[in-house]
């Protein structure tokens, strides 16, 4: 008897208590040996596989676990190590692997950027002329481990060659197509070795297919999978996509693969499928459970979708699964003891999503009655009926805002003149992005305060002492615009969510952002509203300690939305604008307190850009309006800053200009200065700082290196608008390296000022 099977695309790496992160950092800080580290990570890897086996998955993903990042894993498996790391061939050792991701004393780290439209960061491979070779079939090693240790014949998860090259930096004379072709024999070896090891399915991820795919890209995709069909005929490839739908689904169904994975949550794949003659000899892997958000699934609706899918494909052709890897959601709800019952009942993390998947499978396969699927729908309906979800004043303010102009009244050029009269900044003014190192003592004291082990007064005294210490450090370094350091904040979104109405928080809902960095996204469950001043006290205290301006530091509405788990019963634009209107009140509170430089960070604006260009305009227009709403009422003399990081800005430079911020700071050094090209064809006339050093690496850059970055920027930007700053906040760095780097940065700026005066 045929039956529908279940699968998953990947599982969170970090462990229920962030064991993965703790193991990494213990190794980096030389608190455990390499052998201990490897042993601990193996145990966690096997624990993750066992969880999925216990959840009833028919096809368990293997190879999604990593020491840092799955894209980096793919690069080093093929020996693609940047030349600056002195690699001599062979399997890449662990320390070189980490050096590529984090940099070392002799070489800067590889670029890091966002994985499609998520808050996960991947390490960008560099195809710098080195001929790729298969130096380690890591997927085979992990398959053999799962088989030996747990008797699991897993489903290997591999990043496909076309997406891998598309996401890489392609250097030299070799074309995109030639880079892909150079990898095909290596992938063939991997596929054949896996097939010989007895795996049934091999998941090859090609999420690049859900964007705007050019004819050249389609041609090389077809060529690549034709190659595999001929050179690895025993490998059953499941070509997996996610995050959106495939535009040319008819073309995708003709690819020479045994199965095709589609996202049915974030796309119109169902309607496409019903209009497609899906091949009878192919398997369809349908992504039906939301892998990116934490709300329970209405399984009655999911069951209905499955029944519609089964009008196109047979049961033996169908695999059901989450919409994407569960990497993007927390591990389990079991540790959440403090959430309100109505809210908790409506949530589903990775383990719960696998349970939901199994419930659907059992009903589809007639092992259980459809009534078993009602609980999720009932939990969602109960939450929607909760009075805490709706705020009349917020809804009325939102409607009023739609009828008003969102821009500041005084134009940017006039504001610039007024602000220069007020601040009298030197040329190439220096500042930082906001946060300073959060030492173990800071984290420990905050935890003690949260647990009630120290009083509010003792905690405030501690925070004030840190603020004063860092104001003194900044004065000594001679920065021009100072910050209070954000020592009272755990995370730039969580902090504001805790103080705004409409948010709720988990105790252990961590997800990986990059490397060992994990974040705990807030849950937006109700209408968002301002309750009381959130940042005024600390900022005003810092300002009382110095004659120099201190920036008020806020996180912008788009970033708060994108880095939260948002409600899905309202349109995204309405939720974002609710956040913007709440933040506007905080901006005005800062201004009223005498803070006249205010930064509203939007590092996530670019990452939320839809994967299809046809949807860009609406998203960018909405994002611009939201930012403008958050600052529209300030006086023209108040200088509004914003910050963005790890993004390709060339395509959205007009939207960035449209934000109408007085000063914007953008990451540049991690992209090794390539961002400069965005300003070669676009005249930007407002203040701008292109980060002159990479803060995500422990490496301290030299004064000369930063002068080079400044010179590169001034080739395309007017010196009167250019600011000098690091790439991003310094929260994750250690104090000595931070102070040393900032001293070098200020010296580099001063050297350039002198040079400009001479000219």
């Amino acid at each position: 008897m045929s039956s529908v099977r279940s699968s998953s695309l990947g599982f969170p790496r970090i462990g229920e208590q962030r064991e993965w992160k703790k193991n990494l950092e213990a190794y980096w800080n030389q608190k455990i040996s390499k052998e201990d580290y490897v042993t601990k990570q193996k145990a966690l890897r096997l624990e993750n596989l066992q969880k999925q086996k216990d959840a009833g998955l028919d096809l368990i993903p293997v190879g999604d676990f990593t020491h840092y990042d799955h894209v980096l894993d793919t690069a080093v498996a093929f020996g693609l190590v940047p030349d600056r790391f002195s690699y001599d061939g062979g399997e890449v050792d662990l320390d070189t692997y980490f050096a590529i991701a984090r940099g070392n004393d002799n070489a800067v780290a590889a670029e890091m950027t966002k994985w499609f439209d998520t808050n996960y960061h991947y390490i960008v491979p560099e195809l710098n002329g080195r001929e790729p070779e298969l130096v380690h079939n890591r997927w085979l090693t992990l398959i053999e481990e799962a088989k030996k240790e747990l008797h699991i014949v897993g489903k290997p998860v591999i990043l496909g060659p076309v997406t891998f090259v598309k996401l890489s930096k392609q250097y030299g004379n070799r074309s995109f197509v030639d880079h892909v072709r150079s990898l095909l024999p290596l992938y063939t070896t991997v596929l054949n070795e896996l097939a010989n090891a007895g795996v049934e399915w091999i998941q090859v991820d090609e999420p690049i297919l859900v964007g705007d795919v050019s004819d050249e890209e389609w041609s090389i995709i077809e060529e690549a999978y034709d190659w595999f069909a001929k050179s690895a005929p025993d490998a059953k490839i499941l070509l997996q996509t996610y995050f959106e739908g495939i535009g040319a689904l008819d073309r995708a169904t003709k690819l020479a693969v045994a199965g095709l994975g589609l996202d049915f949550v974030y796309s119109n794949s169902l309607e496409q499928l019903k209009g497609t003659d899906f091949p009878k000899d192919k398997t369809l892997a349908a992504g039906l459970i939301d892998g990116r958000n934490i709300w329970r699934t209405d399984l009655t609706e999911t069951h209905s979708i499955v029944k519609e899918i089964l009008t196109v494909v047979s049961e033996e052709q169908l695999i059901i699964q989450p919409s994407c890897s569960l990497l993007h959601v927390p591990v389990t709800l079991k540790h959440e003891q403090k959430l309100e019952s109505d809210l908790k009942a409506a949530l589903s993390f990775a383990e719960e999503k696998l349970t939901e998947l199994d419930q659907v499978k059992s009903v589809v396969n007639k092992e259980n009655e459809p009534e078993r699927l009602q609980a999720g729908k009932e939990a969602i309906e109960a939450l929607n009926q909760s009075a805490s979800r709706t705020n009349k004043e917020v809804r009325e303010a939102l409607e009023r805002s739609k009828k008003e102009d969102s821009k500041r009244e005084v134009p940017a050029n006039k504001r610039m003149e007024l602000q220069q009269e007020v601040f009298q900044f030197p040329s190439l003014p220096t500042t930082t992005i906001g946060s300073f190192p959060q030492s173990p003592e800071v984290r420990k004291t905050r935890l003690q305060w949260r647990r009630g082990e120290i009083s509010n007064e003792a905690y405030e005294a501690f925070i004030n002492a840190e603020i004063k210490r860092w104001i003194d450090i900044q004065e000594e370094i001679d920065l021009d615009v100072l910050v209070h350091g954000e020592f009272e904040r755990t995370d730039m979104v969580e902090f504001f969510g805790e103080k705004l109405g409409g948010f709720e928080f988990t105790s252990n809902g961590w997800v990986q952002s990059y490397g060992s960095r994990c974040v705990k996204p807030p849950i937006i469950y109700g209408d968002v509203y301002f309750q009381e001043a959130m940042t005024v006290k600390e900022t005003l205290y810092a300002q009382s300690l110095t004659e120099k301006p201190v920036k008020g530091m806020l996180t912008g509405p788009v970033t708060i939305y994108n880095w939260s788990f948002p409600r899905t019963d309202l349109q995204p634009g309405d939720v974002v604008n609710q956040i913007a209107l709440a933040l506007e009140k905080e901006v005005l509170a800062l201004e009223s307190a005498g803070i006249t430089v205010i930064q509203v960070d939007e590092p996530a604006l670019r990452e939320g850009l839809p994967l299809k260009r046809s949807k860009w305009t609406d998203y960018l227009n909405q994002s611009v309006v939201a930012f403008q709403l958050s600052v529209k009422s300030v006086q023209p003399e108040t200088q509004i800053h914003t910050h963005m990081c790890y993004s390709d800005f060339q395509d959205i430079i007009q939207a960035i200009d449209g934000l109408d911020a007085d000063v914007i700071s953008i990451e540049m050094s991690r992209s090794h200065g390539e961002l400069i090209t965005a300003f070669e064809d676009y005249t930007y006339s407002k203040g701008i700082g292109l980060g002159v050093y990479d803060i995500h690496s422990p490496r301290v850059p030299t004064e000369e290196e930063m002068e080079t970055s400044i010179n590169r920027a001034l080739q395309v930007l007017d010196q009167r608008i250019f600011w000098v700053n690091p790439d991003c906040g310094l929260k994750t760095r250690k104090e000595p390296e931070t102070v040393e780097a900032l001293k070098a940065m200020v010296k580099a700026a001063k050297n350039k000022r002198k040079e400009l005066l001479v000219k």
Side-chain angles (χ1 to χ4, degrees):
M1 176 179 171
S2 62
S3 62
V4 171
R5 295 198 289 171
S6 63
S7 180
S8 181
L9 285 66
F11 195 76
R13 302 151 182 168
I14 62 175
E16 292 183 16
Q17 303 292 343
R18 291 181 293 161
E19 295 91 339
W20 184 83
K21 166 190 174 68
K22 294 168 187 175
N23 295 339
L24 269 174
E25 294 179 353
Y27 177 63
W28 292 340
N29 293 324
Q30 300 180 334
K31 293 181 178 178
I32 61 174
S33 68
K34 183 180 295 186
E35 292 73 20
D36 285 345
Y37 167 77
V38 170
T39 299
K40 288 175 180 290
Q41 297 295 59
K42 176 182 176 180
L44 181 58
R45 180 166 61 244
L46 294 176
E47 179 184 317
N48 289 346
L49 292 176
Q50 187 65 51
K51 285 177 183 286
Q52 296 172 84
K53 181 179 181 181
D54 294 343
L57 278 185
D58 297 305
L59 298 169
I60 299 172
V62 174
D64 55 315
F65 193 93
T66 178
H67 289 296
Y68 197 98
D69 164 56
H70 61 279
V71 183
L72 177 59
D73 291 343
T74 309
V76 299
F78 296 126
L80 293 169
V81 177
D83 289 339
R84 60 187 177 278
F85 293 99
S86 303
Y87 169 66
D88 296 323
E91 184 175 340
V92 177
D93 67 88
L94 196 59
D95 291 337
T96 300
Y97 174 92
F98 286 136
I100 299 168
R102 306 176 72 232
N104 59 27
D105 290 341
N106 302 313
V108 296
E111 181 182 347
M112 180 168 63
T113 195
K114 297 296 177 72
W115 176 249
F116 294 87
D117 58 347
T118 75
N119 189 31
Y120 176 76
H121 305 61
Y122 73 93
I123 299 298
V124 179
E126 298 177 25
L127 312 183
N128 56 1
R130 178 181 293 277
E131 194 65 29
E133 57 178 325
L134 180 61
V135 299
H136 178 214
N137 187 345
R138 65 180 302 274
W139 304 277
L140 179 63
T141 299
L142 294 171
I143 281 290
E144 290 175 338
E145 175 188 83
K147 188 186 302 182
K148 176 183 176 182
E149 301 285 350
L150 300 174
H151 308 292
I152 292 173
V153 181
K155 177 188 62 169
V157 177
I158 305 174
L159 182 60
V162 181
T163 297
F164 175 76
V165 173
K166 187 68 176 177
L167 298 181
S168 300
K169 286 183 170 295
Q170 301 161 36
Y171 297 100
N173 297 322
R174 181 174 279 176
S175 69
F176 165 74
V177 168
D178 286 341
H179 275 301
V180 175
R181 286 173 177 158
S182 73
L183 290 169
L184 297 184
L186 311 184
Y187 272 85
T188 296
T189 300
V190 171
L191 294 170
N192 278 322
E193 289 181 355
L194 288 170
N196 292 337
V199 300
E200 179 188 2
W201 283 100
I202 302 172
Q203 176 183 317
V204 183
D205 289 359
E206 291 285 11
I208 204 71
L209 278 172
V210 304
D212 297 307
V213 187
S214 68
D215 286 339
E216 178 188 51
E217 289 161 352
W218 265 117
S219 294
I220 191 60
I221 288 166
E222 290 163 341
E223 178 182 328
Y225 288 91
D226 282 343
W227 173 295
F228 296 148
K230 294 171 183 174
S231 58
D234 295 328
K236 269 179 80 175
I237 293 177
L238 174 60
L239 184 69
Q240 184 64 56
T241 64
Y242 34 80
F243 301 148
E244 246 284 11
I246 299 176
L249 184 58
D250 280 335
R251 195 165 182 176
T253 61
K254 294 180 176 64
L255 291 170
V257 293
L260 184 63
L262 302 177
D263 185 338
F264 282 78
V265 176
Y266 289 90
S267 73
N268 64 339
S269 292
L270 180 59
E271 294 306 312
Q272 285 183 292
L273 180 68
K274 291 192 290 187
T276 301
D277 185 17
F278 196 86
K280 301 299 182 187
D281 61 344
K282 277 189 171 59
T283 292
L284 172 66
L288 299 165
I289 304 294
D290 190 344
R292 298 184 57 170
N293 211 333
I294 42 74
W295 302 106
R296 282 185 73 164
T297 305
D298 181 347
L299 297 181
T300 58
E301 180 181 347
T302 302
H303 185 216
S304 297
I305 293 171
V306 172
K307 288 193 288 186
E308 290 195 65
I309 292 172
L310 288 173
T311 65
V312 179
V313 301
S314 64
E315 289 185 354
E316 59 265 26
Q317 284 180 274
L318 182 61
I319 297 171
I320 61 173
Q321 58 189 24
S323 63
C324 63
S325 170
L326 298 176
L327 165 71
H328 307 288
V329 296
V331 177
T332 178
L333 269 171
K334 72 171 67 168
H335 302 294
E336 303 303 329
Q337 307 302 325
K338 297 179 181 179
L339 292 173
E340 292 292 334
S341 58
D342 281 356
L343 177 58
K344 184 176 179 180
L347 300 180
S348 177
F349 293 175
E351 289 187 8
E352 292 74 31
K353 289 179 186 295
L354 294 183
T355 298
E356 290 181 313
L357 191 65
D358 197 56
Q359 290 171 338
V360 174
K361 182 180 72 171
S362 68
V363 170
V364 172
N365 291 335
K366 300 179 176 57
E367 297 166 8
N368 278 307
E369 297 301 316
E371 290 74 18
R372 295 280 299 260
L373 304 180
Q374 289 289 334
K377 180 178 182 180
E378 291 169 357
I380 295 165
E381 289 176 346
L383 182 64
N384 286 340
Q385 292 166 9
S386 169
S388 62
R389 287 211 109 180
T390 305
N391 183 302
K392 182 180 177 182
E393 291 183 2
V394 170
R395 298 289 176 103
E396 290 174 349
L398 181 64
E399 291 307 309
R400 287 196 301 272
S401 72
K402 294 176 181 179
K403 302 172 185 177
E404 300 170 353
D405 190 348
S406 60
K407 292 189 68 172
R408 296 171 74 178
E409 292 183 1
V410 177
N413 59 342
K414 181 61 177 175
R415 297 198 310 265
M416 184 180 291
E417 294 174 7
L418 293 171
Q419 291 164 15
Q420 186 57 25
E421 289 177 14
V422 171
F423 296 113
Q424 296 293 306
F425 290 134
S427 61
L428 310 183
T430 57
T431 189
T432 62
I433 302 306
S435 60
F436 280 131
Q438 295 215 349
S439 66
E441 185 181 9
V442 169
R443 296 193 297 270
K444 176 183 175 182
T445 305
R446 185 168 56 235
L447 183 59
Q448 289 175 327
W449 171 69
R450 285 180 176 271
R451 289 174 174 172
E453 296 170 4
I454 62 173
S455 67
N456 291 340
E457 293 76 14
Y459 180 64
E460 183 175 336
F462 173 81
I463 293 297
N464 283 347
E466 284 295 293
I467 291 172
K468 184 179 187 310
R469 193 167 69 82
W470 275 94
I471 289 292
D472 292 343
I473 291 171
Q474 293 173 85
E475 291 267 24
E476 182 181 351
I477 293 171
D478 202 20
L479 288 159
D480 297 304
V481 177
L482 314 188
V483 296
H484 81 279
E486 304 180 20
F487 304 106
E488 77 285 6
R489 307 182 190 183
T490 52
D491 174 82
M492 63 185 294
V493 171
E494 182 180 21
F495 174 81
F496 290 96
E498 287 178 333
K499 295 177 179 295
L500 292 168
F503 286 80
E504 190 52 83
F505 294 84
T506 61
S507 299
N508 213 47
W510 299 96
V511 294
Q512 183 190 3
S513 177
Y514 65 86
S516 68
R517 168 76 168 150
C518 296
V519 295
K520 190 149 57 74
I523 300 169
I524 305 176
Y525 76 93
D527 289 338
V528 178
Y529 58 94
F530 178 83
Q531 298 185 109
E532 60 183 1
M534 300 176 280
T535 66
V536 173
K537 182 170 63 175
E538 292 83 7
T539 310
L540 195 56
Y541 174 69
Q543 185 64 81
S544 74
L545 302 172
T546 179
E547 295 296 320
K548 292 185 175 182
V550 174
K551 281 193 288 190
M553 299 299 306
L554 309 179
T555 304
V558 176
T559 297
I560 289 178
Y561 179 87
N562 283 343
W563 288 0
S564 298
F565 291 123
R567 64 193 296 182
T568 55
D569 60 317
L570 293 183
Q571 290 297 315
D574 285 346
V575 181
V576 173
N577 285 349
Q578 286 183 4
I579 300 170
L581 293 171
L583 290 174
E584 182 191 24
K585 295 181 179 178
E586 180 69 11
V587 169
L588 293 176
L590 283 166
E591 186 182 59
S592 297
I595 304 302
T596 53
V597 181
I598 302 172
Q599 184 166 308
V600 182
D601 282 348
E602 284 291 21
L605 188 148
R606 172 61 177 83
E607 82 180 37
L609 200 64
L611 300 178
K612 288 185 168 60
R613 283 180 178 265
S614 61
K615 300 179 181 180
W616 281 19
T617 300
D618 287 346
Y619 170 80
L620 289 172
N621 287 344
Q622 170 57 50
S623 298
V624 167
V625 167
F627 182 88
Q628 291 175 347
L629 283 175
S630 68
V631 299
K632 65 171 291 190
S633 301
V634 298
Q635 297 300 310
E637 292 84 359
T638 296
Q639 189 172 80
I640 298 297
H641 289 229
T642 191
H643 168 69
M644 298 180 187
C645 56
Y646 301 118
S647 300
D648 298 322
F649 293 99
Q650 288 86 340
D651 295 326
I652 63 168
I653 191 69
Q654 287 183 306
I656 292 173
D657 203 355
L659 295 175
D660 200 30
D662 298 306
V663 180
I664 182 170
S665 56
I666 304 178
E667 173 273 329
M668 181 179 74
S669 63
R670 193 80 190 230
S671 64
H672 304 159
E674 294 178 11
L675 176 62
I676 287 296
T677 58
F679 298 94
E680 290 177 345
D681 301 318
Y682 188 90
T683 302
Y684 194 85
S685 58
K686 304 180 183 74
I688 185 166
L690 302 182
V692 297
Y693 82 90
D694 174 21
I695 65 87
H696 287 85
S697 169
R699 179 180 179 275
V700 176
T702 66
E703 188 178 319
E704 292 73 23
E705 287 173 329
M706 286 191 266
E707 283 192 50
T708 298
S709 294
I710 293 171
N711 288 332
R712 189 182 298 139
L714 291 179
Q715 291 174 5
V716 295
L717 294 172
D718 190 317
Q719 69 184 63
R720 292 171 294 181
I721 67 171
F722 188 67
W723 286 64
V724 177
N725 49 257
D727 268 346
C728 201
L730 296 157
K731 172 181 166 182
T732 60
R733 299 271 51 89
K734 294 180 179 178
E735 183 171 323
E737 68 196 46
T738 296
V739 172
E740 186 180 350
L742 290 178
K743 284 181 177 178
M745 185 188 82
V746 170
K747 287 180 181 177
K750 289 182 174 181
N751 290 342
K752 190 63 184 178
R753 284 176 198 163
K754 292 177 183 177
E755 182 184 323
L756 292 172
L757 283 173
V758 171
K759 290 182 179 180

